Each structure stands twice: as C-alpha cells, then as structure tokens.
Amino acid sequence: MTQPIPQPPSLPILGNLLDLRDPEAPLYALENLAETYGPIYKLSKGKANIIAVSSTAMVEELMDETRFVKAPPLALGKEKEKPGEGNTGNSSGRPAGLFTATNEDPDWAQAHRILVPAFGPLAIEGMFNQMKDIATQLLLKWARRGPDARIVVTDDFTRLTLDTIGLCTMDFRFNSFYSDNMHPFIEAMVGFLTENSNRTKRLPIVTSLMKRKAKQLKSNQDFMFHTGTELVTERRADPCASNKSDLLSSIVNGKDQKTSLGMRDELIVANIITFLIAGHETTSGLLSFAFLQLLKNPIAYQAAQNEVDAVLGRDTISLSHLSKLLYLNGVLRETIRLTPPVPAIQKELAPGCSGSKATLGNGRYQIEPDDKIAILIGVMKREASVYGEDAKEFKPERMMDGNFEKLPSAAGKPFGNGARGLMALLLQNFDFQLHDPAYKLRIKQTLTIKPKDLIMRAHLRHGMGAMELEQFLRGTGSAVTKLPVGSSPLVNSQESSSENQKIILILYGSNTGTCAEFARRLAVIAAEHDFEAQVKELDAVVTTQLPKGMPVVIIISSYEGNPPDNAARFVGWISILGQDSLSGIEYAVFGCGHHDWPTTYQRIPTLIDSTLDSCSAKRLAPRGATGSGKGNMSGDYEDWLTGLLWPALGSSTSNKSAPPTSELGIEMSNMAGVSNFRVDVQEGKVLDTGLLTDPSEPPKRHLEIQLPEDTTYECGDYLAVLPLNSEEHVGNIMSRFALRDDAIVIIKGQEIGMLPLDTPLSVKDLLASHLELFEVASKRIIQACAHFSSDPNLRAHLEYITSTPAIFESQVLTPHLTVISLLNQHPSINLLFPVFISSLSPLRLRYYSISSSPLANPGTCTITYSIHTIMAPNSQEQYHGVCGSYLSSLTPGMSIRCSIRPSSKALFRLPHNHSETPLLMFCAGTGLAPFRGFIQQRAILHSANPHRALAPIGSGS
C-alpha cells in the first residue's frame, strides 16, 4: 500500500508557490524543503504537482527509462502556448535542441542519430589546440592586467567557454576577450534564461499580464536564433566548408542513417543554440566553483598545484598530460558533486507506465501521469548514507583511487578534458587569491547555477611578466623563466635589506582585527628599534615566498582550531613543505585565542610555530600567547615584545625618556566624517526581545533577528555581533578630552586592519562602534600617562607600577583598570587624544551560539545570552559587559550589525544520518543555546514527515 508524499501546507490558488520564494535562488528553497520534508516531497503549483526527489536510491529508480523519461527544462524546451497562460519557455513553434526535446519528439531521434557520433573521443581530441588558443587569450588578459586587478571569475569563464565552443564546434570567433562588454549573444541568453527562471515563481495568469517582459523574452530568443541562423548561412556559403569536420559541419551536412534525410535549417539552429547555451553555461559554472573550492581549501589548492608542477614542469601543456592529472580530476568531480552546475533534472512517467511501476521508494509513493519530477542533484550528492558524515566537505580524495567508480550509477558521470586542461594551465602559471578572503558562497541561478560576485586576483608565478608568459604559451621563447620549477626556492632573498638597513617582515592573520592591530603597533614600534617594517597578510607570502635576511614575525589567531580567512592558504602551504625547505628563515610567532575553547586554544599559532621549526626555519623567540578571556591581550603582547622578541633581535627596550607619541598619524579635521566603515558585518534588524529568567535570578535574555540579505546558516553556527559602546561612556570620553560632538579625525600612515586611511572619520562613531574602550590599560599607555602627568608624585607611582610585575598585577590586572578610569581618577594626566585612541584595540566581534533552526525561518535567527558585570576599580560602580549591555538595550525595529560565522563542521553539527546516530547533549547556563536550535530542528523534521526516523529504533525520537 502506498503512503502520502510529504507536502508543505498549501494555499488555495497559489498552492505552494510561496514556498519557492527565496531572495537569492529558487534552488535554496527547494533544498531547504528537502532538509525539512525528507528525500521526497510534493509541491502544488496551480493544477500541477512537482515531486522533488533527493534520495540516491529513488534516483536510481528514476534512471529506468522504461518507467520514467526526461522532461526538458522550460527555459529551452518546446512547449505549446495555452490560452490564458502566456508564453512559457520556447512557445514560438520552433523545434527544440538535442538536450531539451523529449525522447518522443521525432526531432530528438533524428538529431540524436546524426550528432552523437560527432562527440566521439577522436573528435574531442581534435579540438585541443583550439581550446588552448582561447585559453591563451584568458591567461594573457589576466597577466597584462596585473596582480592587483579584480577578476570577476564567472564573467571571464563565460567568455572563455562561449569562445571555446564557438571556435571548436563551429569555427566561429565571438572574440569576447577583445571587448569590455559581454557579447550580445550572452546578454540575450542571460535575459532569456532569467525570465524563464522567474516564471517558475509566478502563477501563469500573472505572467500573461506582463506584456513588456514577454516582448523582451521574445526579442532575446529571436536574437539567439538570428545568431544561429547566421552561423548556418555563413557555413553554407563558405567555399571551404567541405574541408571542415567540426560539429557545425556534422549538423549541416549529416544524414540520418535511418531516413537518409538531413536536418531542416530551423532544427539545425535550435541545436546550435542549445549547444552554445548548455555547453558554455555548465562549463563556466564548473570552473568558477572549482576555483572557489580550491581557494577555500588551501591544502587541496596546494596539492593540485603541486601535481601540475610535477606533471607539466615548465613544458607547455599537451593532450598527453591530461591523463596524468589525477588530483585535478578529483577536484572537478568533487566540485560537480558539491555544486553541480545543473542543480536539478526533470523527469516524468513514461507513456503508458502504471501500476506498481508508477511508484517510487520501492512502491511506497504513487506517481501520477501529470506529475513533474525534479531530481535535486546537489542534495542527492551530499547524502550521508552514500558519502559519509563529511558529505558536505570538499575532499577530492573521495573521487580518486577507484572511489568514484564504486559510487552508485546515479551519483555522477565523468566529463571532458577541457576544464582539466584549463585548470592545469592556470595553476601552472598563476597563483590565485580571493579578493575577499571571507567571501561566502552566494548563488546566481538561471538554467544553471554559478557563484555570485566571486572575485579573485591572479599573480604570475616563476618570476614571469606578461611578455614572458606570452612567449612561453606561444612556444616562441625559452621554457625556462626567471625562477623555473624545480629550482625555485621556497624562500626569497630578493627583499633582503641593504647592509646598513634592517627590515622586519610582520605577517598577520586576522578575522576580527585584533591581530591586524597588533601588527600595526609592532610596525610603529619597530622604528624605535631601528627597523623598517613591512606588513602583509599571511596569505600574501604564499605567492612571493618567505624572505631570508630579515626576521619574520607572525601574529595570528585561531577560530575553533581553524586559521583566519586571510591565513588559510599559508597554513595549507607550509603543511606540505619538506624538512629543509625553510632553511635560512628566522621567525617568531605570537598567537591570540580565547580560553573558553580549551581544546582548540592556540592550535593555529602552535601549528605554525612547530611546522616552521620542522622545516628547518630558526625560531628567534619562544611563541607568545594571549587569550581574550583574560582581558589583558595588549599587556601580554607588550610583555612578549619587550621581554622576548626585542632581546632576541639584539635590541633593548625603547628609551623611556623619549616622549610618547601617537602610534597612528592622526589629524583633527573639520571635514564631514563617514561612519559604518566596517565591512565584516552587515545590517540586520531586531524582531523580538525577551527576558527568560525570574527577576531574582541573573538575567538570561532572548533576541530574534532578521538576518542581513543573502545570509544563510546551519544549526550550530554562530552569530557574530559588532556591539556599540554606550552613549554615556562615549560622552564621558569626549568630555574628558574636550571634544565636540561633531569632531572629525583623519588617520595617516600604513593601512592595516579595519581603519581606513586619509578618510574623515567621526570621532563619536569611532569611539562608539570601532574601538575597545574597556580593555585593561597596558604598560605602554600607563607609561604615556606618566609622561603627560603634571603631578611628579603620580608620575613616579605610575612608573613604579609598570616596572614592578606584582604591583601591576594587583593594581591594574586584578581590578581591570582601564585607560579612561585612570584618566578620570587623575585629572592631572593631560594625555593627548591621538595617543589615547592609538592605545585601543579595534572593537571585536562577539560570537553567540545561534539558538534556532533555519528550517523555522531561514532569514531569521535567535540568540540566548547573559550580561557579565565587573566592579570598577576603587569604587562601587559596576561595569557591564559591552555586548551584553548593548544587546539588552535593543528593541524591536532597531538595527544590529552582524554576520554569520560557520561552526566547524567536524565539531558541532547534527548528524546527517538521523536514524542511525544517537544524540546526547550536555550544557550549563546559556550553553543551552545551540541545543535549543538542534531540538527545534528535530521537532520541525518530525512534524513535516512523521514517518521519518530521527533516532535509532529503541532510543526514542
């Protein structure tokens, strides 16, 4: 007996149309519903039903063509116009192409018999040199624009694939790389596919009223067919056409072996359009996703590049190389698995199929003749029962060494050599970086999916310039470049200082700005020790390598045991270096972390320190460490500098008699100031607030937030919140320094971290939302206060505090003495405002475990938090935690600056295989927060599909 297919509640007339709404892509809505309702669910849209399937076992059933046949996508399929419904898809009466016609369409049968032989291995191999020609245009464009140019990845890969298909299959050059604008065919295609995608989210009657969009859709379709017609006309008129053996010739001249007839011109054009759209869209999406996956997984990136160097060396690529690029093959297969460019395939019952054959799930679910079946390929290929609990992680190894061949037949098919060859060329000659290391995947969906707003930068390898790359690619110059593979050192001595100049290289990895701020402070202090500082993000030296002849200081944090976004490639790079590969490098490491995560505290700083040592680099000083939980990060850092680093570099502490100056070049200004210049957060909105505890208990509070646009999360993730310092405290500081409310500052010097240079900044906003006002005062700023004090007794006392560790502990660290508290207690300290703000760290993001499930509402989340208090020194005044106080002051409708920070997938996620994995949860206090989200998710899953087991049998659900 069959059982009902799970379905979200539907509305009259609209059905489940509103369930398909998603601010970014309908695909997300479909995939979210699959997570809620299980591997099969039903949606109603008007009179039609859509059955969404994401189980590998059921997809295996759908591959049985005696029971189920393909139903082409509306964007390219042939569909008749129905009265009152408006045009949908290809309703112009034109024929459909090979990939988009139904199997019953006689046009499909004829095209299939004529065209399939043209895709044999020998035909594809004959295109290799043409593929390389177009790839050369791409490489030279990137090389000539330089390493700082912003590469819009999907745009250039779209140019590449369109031009490649045009040249290889039709001997036609679109010449996309010779124009800043996309070829008109691309513009027409994007408009055509976008409108067809939008129509799936509307009722037919709504579409029928949108006459302007219908007119534009027809115009775009007409232009594409006009382009195809021109290609056919030119080929027929070409006197050398008989000598060409490309795909276009096969289409124009081919004969059906069954009927001895050729294809009519309009069917030829339809197939040309299909090849141009489907071929270049899927390949450009695949390449874009593959580079994103490599750049987000630095160990995989390094392994892929190492394989390319081992196989190609400095030889130009040839067809014989491709079969040896096994890891790249795994990269592309794993990319297709996680982000298939075609995210869904449509099926329907075969004509005449009925009874037990017209079911899925081994007879459990009845399928009706009018049902449209959508296979959610991305969900299917992340199925834990097939790929394991790490199914959502990028691991090319799972597609290598025979593993791919062991997968179920529905799990995927191999692909051609073009993408692999291009990736090899790119990795051979360039190093790549994300323009924004913190980039989070967003989807652009038409017929296919691509990463939205993905931008990277390309840095030429091997010491080449653009002219040398061109000579290498054309084969007109020596294959040996300035730094050929095999002899290129892992260290770079070109930046070494002259005999009389000392340089120190400061590298940092930072998500929240603390390590970037420490790098800035060290760069300024270095001048006092006769060093010239160079400051870079850690990932920047992966392309230029580590230098000899100068000390290298690394300042880095850990996040759940993972490196910051701008240090991930560096960590991946050093992890595969050989034992003596860094001989001659001198380094020191300082690490930041948080003691609340003891299992991963200082993991990345420790890993870098030990790895560099194992690669024969020389450790200059013991690794320094600090934790934000202690509240004395600046003090720990200064102690490490003065007690360990500078002595190791042969430099004493700076001259205490020298007057302290601002470590930032700061000018006061009367120009209009800017605010809200933090780019690591976006604006959300408070929806609801509440107190969870009895008034007699320490307060625990609840906050519901409308997330920033295009933001997604999973159970177990964190909400990163940028708090605001209270108006009272900001006003107190501005009053202490006699500053007006409209005071403006301009920061000069080297841009490091969050604060922009040469930009008028509102002092009030700077204090409220960009600086930590309540850090423990460091020894350096207390010495500055002593210098600026007009009271000789106070001056002596402050100098005594900083020179006596036990007194500093009891009078500064234990009472949590802040700079502003010290200034308020002693009016005789005439500290300069630039010196004051130079002593402050950037305002840190605070992380809160999300206490909700995205299945309840993917655009909102909740957090559960408490408010910490400490006593102010030498008074009975209480200081409340900055972020807790800020959150408790929010009311519905107010804005909040926040972002999602994913949790480590290996550490804190619900198991994918619900029915086989017991779930135990332990917590204390507000540690309950993530478990509330886990329980909410389980409750929603059970409510949506009561038949699905959420725990092993006998353990409850």
Side-chain angles (χ1 to χ4, degrees), residues 24 153 258 343 400 485 657 660 663 738 764:
E24 191 161 324
V153 178
K258 183 177 179 180
M400 300 170 62
V485 169
S657 64
E663 293 173 358
K764 194 170 187 178

PDB file of all heavy atoms in Angstrom, residues 24 153 258 343 400 485 657 660 663 738 764:
ATOM      1  N   GLU A  24      17.542  34.760  -3.010  1.00  0.00           N
ATOM      2  CA  GLU A  24      18.712  34.568  -3.859  1.00  0.00           C
ATOM      3  C   GLU A  24      18.451  33.631  -5.026  1.00  0.00           C
ATOM      4  O   GLU A  24      18.727  33.959  -6.174  1.00  0.00           O
ATOM      5  CB  GLU A  24      19.861  34.012  -3.003  1.00  0.00           C
ATOM      6  CG  GLU A  24      21.191  34.024  -3.720  1.00  0.00           C
ATOM      7  CD  GLU A  24      22.341  33.926  -2.737  1.00  0.00           C
ATOM      8  OE1 GLU A  24      22.242  34.486  -1.638  1.00  0.00           O
ATOM      9  OE2 GLU A  24      23.331  33.290  -3.076  1.00  0.00           O
ATOM     10  N   VAL A 153      35.212  36.319 -11.773  1.00  0.00           N
ATOM     11  CA  VAL A 153      35.529  34.969 -12.231  1.00  0.00           C
ATOM     12  C   VAL A 153      34.492  34.443 -13.218  1.00  0.00           C
ATOM     13  O   VAL A 153      34.844  33.945 -14.297  1.00  0.00           O
ATOM     14  CB  VAL A 153      35.646  34.027 -11.014  1.00  0.00           C
ATOM     15  CG1 VAL A 153      35.934  32.596 -11.468  1.00  0.00           C
ATOM     16  CG2 VAL A 153      36.748  34.514 -10.074  1.00  0.00           C
ATOM     17  N   LYS A 258      18.817   6.338 -40.601  1.00  0.00           N
ATOM     18  CA  LYS A 258      17.538   5.631 -40.686  1.00  0.00           C
ATOM     19  C   LYS A 258      16.701   6.131 -41.847  1.00  0.00           C
ATOM     20  O   LYS A 258      16.043   5.332 -42.545  1.00  0.00           O
ATOM     21  CB  LYS A 258      16.782   5.804 -39.373  1.00  0.00           C
ATOM     22  CG  LYS A 258      15.454   5.054 -39.328  1.00  0.00           C
ATOM     23  CD  LYS A 258      14.801   5.221 -37.956  1.00  0.00           C
ATOM     24  CE  LYS A 258      13.459   4.486 -37.905  1.00  0.00           C
ATOM     25  NZ  LYS A 258      12.807   4.623 -36.581  1.00  0.00           N
ATOM     26  N   PRO A 343      21.574  22.061 -11.280  1.00  0.00           N
ATOM     27  CA  PRO A 343      21.221  21.577  -9.940  1.00  0.00           C
ATOM     28  C   PRO A 343      20.014  20.661  -9.899  1.00  0.00           C
ATOM     29  O   PRO A 343      19.744  20.043  -8.870  1.00  0.00           O
ATOM     30  CB  PRO A 343      20.931  22.870  -9.176  1.00  0.00           C
ATOM     31  CG  PRO A 343      20.435  23.812 -10.228  1.00  0.00           C
ATOM     32  CD  PRO A 343      21.186  23.463 -11.480  1.00  0.00           C
ATOM     33  N   MET A 400      38.963   9.712  -5.958  1.00  0.00           N
ATOM     34  CA  MET A 400      40.181   9.155  -6.546  1.00  0.00           C
ATOM     35  C   MET A 400      40.375   7.705  -6.101  1.00  0.00           C
ATOM     36  O   MET A 400      39.655   7.198  -5.246  1.00  0.00           O
ATOM     37  CB  MET A 400      41.391  10.015  -6.128  1.00  0.00           C
ATOM     38  CG  MET A 400      41.311  11.455  -6.577  1.00  0.00           C
ATOM     39  SD  MET A 400      42.589  12.499  -5.832  1.00  0.00           S
ATOM     40  CE  MET A 400      44.071  11.712  -6.480  1.00  0.00           C
ATOM     41  N   VAL A 485      60.405  25.945 -12.362  1.00  0.00           N
ATOM     42  CA  VAL A 485      60.014  24.913 -11.418  1.00  0.00           C
ATOM     43  C   VAL A 485      61.153  23.918 -11.265  1.00  0.00           C
ATOM     44  O   VAL A 485      61.813  23.518 -12.211  1.00  0.00           O
ATOM     45  CB  VAL A 485      58.742  24.192 -11.933  1.00  0.00           C
ATOM     46  CG1 VAL A 485      58.477  22.941 -11.114  1.00  0.00           C
ATOM     47  CG2 VAL A 485      57.564  25.134 -11.877  1.00  0.00           C
ATOM     48  N   SER A 657      62.865  57.787  28.273  1.00  0.00           N
ATOM     49  CA  SER A 657      62.867  59.239  28.408  1.00  0.00           C
ATOM     50  C   SER A 657      62.291  59.933  27.188  1.00  0.00           C
ATOM     51  O   SER A 657      61.974  61.102  27.217  1.00  0.00           O
ATOM     52  CB  SER A 657      64.297  59.751  28.642  1.00  0.00           C
ATOM     53  OG  SER A 657      65.102  59.471  27.504  1.00  0.00           O
ATOM     54  N   PRO A 660      56.304  59.858  24.574  1.00  0.00           N
ATOM     55  CA  PRO A 660      55.414  59.002  23.779  1.00  0.00           C
ATOM     56  C   PRO A 660      54.665  59.827  22.741  1.00  0.00           C
ATOM     57  O   PRO A 660      54.265  60.957  22.992  1.00  0.00           O
ATOM     58  CB  PRO A 660      54.445  58.426  24.820  1.00  0.00           C
ATOM     59  CG  PRO A 660      55.098  58.649  26.151  1.00  0.00           C
ATOM     60  CD  PRO A 660      55.935  59.870  26.001  1.00  0.00           C
ATOM     61  N   GLU A 663      50.811  56.330  17.959  1.00  0.00           N
ATOM     62  CA  GLU A 663      51.234  55.262  17.061  1.00  0.00           C
ATOM     63  C   GLU A 663      50.433  55.293  15.763  1.00  0.00           C
ATOM     64  O   GLU A 663      50.667  54.521  14.856  1.00  0.00           O
ATOM     65  CB  GLU A 663      51.079  53.915  17.760  1.00  0.00           C
ATOM     66  CG  GLU A 663      52.050  53.772  18.932  1.00  0.00           C
ATOM     67  CD  GLU A 663      51.803  52.510  19.736  1.00  0.00           C
ATOM     68  OE1 GLU A 663      50.864  51.762  19.413  1.00  0.00           O
ATOM     69  OE2 GLU A 663      52.553  52.271  20.683  1.00  0.00           O
ATOM     70  N   ALA A 738      37.624  67.161  25.911  1.00  0.00           N
ATOM     71  CA  ALA A 738      37.060  68.435  25.450  1.00  0.00           C
ATOM     72  C   ALA A 738      36.811  68.430  23.945  1.00  0.00           C
ATOM     73  O   ALA A 738      37.170  69.366  23.216  1.00  0.00           O
ATOM     74  CB  ALA A 738      37.982  69.584  25.834  1.00  0.00           C
ATOM     75  N   LYS A 764      32.916  60.517  17.313  1.00  0.00           N
ATOM     76  CA  LYS A 764      31.847  59.901  18.091  1.00  0.00           C
ATOM     77  C   LYS A 764      31.565  58.483  17.606  1.00  0.00           C
ATOM     78  O   LYS A 764      31.433  57.552  18.411  1.00  0.00           O
ATOM     79  CB  LYS A 764      30.582  60.764  17.995  1.00  0.00           C
ATOM     80  CG  LYS A 764      29.520  60.425  19.012  1.00  0.00           C
ATOM     81  CD  LYS A 764      28.414  61.476  19.006  1.00  0.00           C
ATOM     82  CE  LYS A 764      27.434  61.226  20.148  1.00  0.00           C
ATOM     83  NZ  LYS A 764      26.376  62.279  20.189  1.00  0.00           N
TER      84      LYS A 764
END
